[in-house]
Amino acid sequence: MISVIIPVHNTEKYIDRCVQSVLTNTYKDIEIILVENGSTDRSLEICRKYEKDYANIKVIVADQVGVSHARNLGMDVAKGEYFSFIDADDYISPYLYETVWGQLSKSGCEIVIFKLIKGSEENYRWTESDYVVRTITLDTYYHDVYVRGYAEYIAATTKVFSRKLLGELRFNESIAFTEDRLFYTQLMPKTESICVIDAELYYYNVGNINAISKNKHAVEKRMSQVSSVELAIEYMRKCFPQKRLWVESMEACLLQEADFWRKRFKKWGNYPNLCEELRNISHKAASSLMKAKDLPKIEKYWVLLTHYCPIAARIVYSVFRCIRR
């Protein structure tokens, strides 16, 4: 059985579509756990109705607000052999879990990653089509998460993983943004291989203007996008000191994150203390990256170029795009 955990917060407009997309999946051995998370609209009322009408739906009312806390509560009560997360304003392909289950059974992988679509369509027209399945190494995973920023590798919602793999690991509830990146950074070393399905099976809704990810005023919380990378580096250095490529990929990401948010905070308003903190983080990350030996040189020097000479980096990027055309 697959346990599908859905944190719910002020999503009365979307929750029906989300839950129905799970109920209409062609794979039926599913339990749905709706974790109501401090909503002030009709979300809880809608969740309770689903719980009443469907035996495989359970509602939990969280004692505090936070997506990480909600997911942790869901995992604590889940009964399935495998776990999946969906955000309540998103929805999924009717073929998602049948496709994933087939790969879990066939390949023996303990974690499966699939692709997502970004948009604001009310009802995306899914099609069942052929797809390519491949296995990636942990070196590839960490490089693609931290250097290339592949969305499906980062997001909590584009994966199904085994209970056995999870163990006692839970989301860090002090991280407000990119909590999923840190979670999977700590989860992945427990497996030998990762199965990737090159099929778009998850619809990421960019049209929800109330989503916390679109709130530019949550400046303090945005700092957690930087601190989550610092925590990942600390974890890797402690637990896997021999994996230099993993740490160097994270240092490249830390430099990019710190530079990006320092510029964004300056644009948004007067945050001198945060900007100074980020400047210090950037300086430290750049110094570490200069010493990197395992990270591909072209990526190492590109990240350093964007840090030290952003104008030159933009010129190089423009020239490269023209050449590719």
Side-chain angles (χ1 to χ4, degrees):
M1 182 168 68
I2 298 175
S3 295
V4 182
I5 300 166
I6 307 175
V8 179
H9 178 73
N10 288 339
T11 49
E12 64 177 1
K13 181 180 177 181
Y14 306 104
I15 187 64
D16 276 318
R17 181 182 64 185
C18 178
V19 175
Q20 287 296 327
S21 73
V22 182
L23 290 172
T24 56
N25 250 246
T26 53
Y27 180 82
K28 297 300 181 183
D29 192 10
I30 290 172
E31 71 165 346
I32 302 173
I33 302 171
L34 301 172
V35 186
E36 212 300 306
N37 189 23
S39 296
T40 56
D41 60 6
R42 293 180 53 251
S43 294
L44 180 57
E45 177 187 338
I46 297 169
C47 290
R48 289 294 190 198
K49 187 177 187 306
Y50 274 110
E51 184 180 40
K52 180 180 178 182
D53 293 344
Y54 294 90
N56 65 330
I57 295 182
K58 180 182 180 63
V59 175
I60 300 173
V61 179
D63 54 344
Q64 64 186 64
V65 176
V67 65
S68 292
H69 183 63
R71 287 174 181 159
N72 288 342
L73 289 177
M75 287 189 287
D76 287 343
V77 302
K79 299 176 181 178
E81 303 166 69
Y82 293 89
F83 292 165
S84 171
F85 302 112
I86 304 177
D87 289 340
D89 52 349
D90 301 336
Y91 56 104
I92 62 173
S93 162
Y95 314 109
L96 191 156
Y97 293 120
E98 184 176 9
T99 303
V100 167
W101 187 262
Q103 293 307 315
L104 289 168
S105 304
K106 186 188 306 182
S107 67
C109 285
E110 292 181 299
I111 185 161
V112 174
I113 301 174
F114 40 89
K115 289 189 173 182
L116 57 78
I117 306 168
K118 292 183 179 182
S120 54
E121 293 184 47
E122 286 295 321
N123 292 290
Y124 182 77
R125 291 189 177 184
W126 302 98
T127 57
E128 190 174 14
S129 58
D130 294 334
Y131 52 84
V132 175
V133 179
R134 54 196 171 88
T135 300
I136 63 171
T137 64
L138 289 173
D139 283 354
T140 298
Y141 175 79
Y142 285 119
H143 176 265
D144 288 351
V145 165
Y146 284 97
V147 178
R148 297 186 174 176
Y150 285 1
E152 60 265 27
Y153 288 6
I154 296 172
T157 52
T158 53
K159 303 171 187 67
V160 174
F161 59 92
S162 72
R163 172 187 292 274
K164 183 174 69 172
L165 187 64
L166 176 72
E168 298 301 315
L169 179 65
R170 293 295 184 267
F171 285 90
N172 185 326
E173 296 183 15
S174 68
I175 303 296
F177 289 96
T178 61
E179 71 291 331
D180 35 12
R181 183 170 59 188
L182 178 61
F183 176 79
Y184 285 108
T185 293
Q186 296 171 326
L187 180 72
M188 289 299 182
K190 298 181 180 182
T191 187
E192 294 297 324
S193 61
I194 303 160
C195 183
V196 179
I197 299 174
D198 284 326
E200 295 170 332
L201 299 169
Y202 187 97
Y203 198 93
Y204 176 80
N205 175 27
V206 299
N208 182 8
I209 61 173
N210 295 317
I212 190 171
S213 60
K214 297 182 176 64
N215 182 5
K216 75 174 186 178
H217 300 293
V219 173
E220 296 285 350
K221 291 183 178 180
R222 283 291 185 183
M223 279 294 290
S224 65
Q225 290 190 235
V226 177
S227 59
S228 69
V229 185
E230 292 180 303
L231 288 172
I233 292 172
E234 180 183 336
Y235 172 80
M236 284 300 173
R237 283 177 173 162
K238 178 181 178 181
C239 299
F240 302 95
Q242 74 281 13
K243 298 293 185 179
R244 293 193 310 188
L245 176 61
W246 299 0
V247 174
E248 290 170 5
S249 297
M250 293 172 190
E251 288 172 340
C253 177
L254 179 61
L255 179 55
Q256 292 175 307
E257 289 272 17
D259 281 347
F260 174 83
W261 287 112
R262 181 168 59 85
K263 294 173 185 175
R264 186 60 60 90
F265 291 167
K266 287 177 70 175
K267 179 180 178 181
W268 282 352
N270 186 25
Y271 302 101
N273 293 337
L274 290 179
C275 289
E276 182 61 27
E277 181 181 349
L278 288 167
R279 185 179 288 105
N280 292 334
I281 292 172
S282 294
H283 178 74
K284 184 178 178 180
S287 298
S288 296
L289 192 60
M290 288 286 287
K291 304 171 187 175
K293 296 181 179 179
D294 289 10
L295 189 69
K297 288 184 178 179
I298 189 170
E299 292 174 334
K300 168 184 172 178
Y301 292 123
W302 172 253
V303 173
L304 290 170
L305 180 65
T306 59
H307 171 66
Y308 287 113
C309 303
I311 295 176
R314 285 196 292 270
I315 294 172
V316 170
Y317 179 71
S318 298
V319 171
F320 179 73
R321 286 189 65 184
C322 291
I323 292 173
R324 290 193 65 181
R325 288 174 186 171

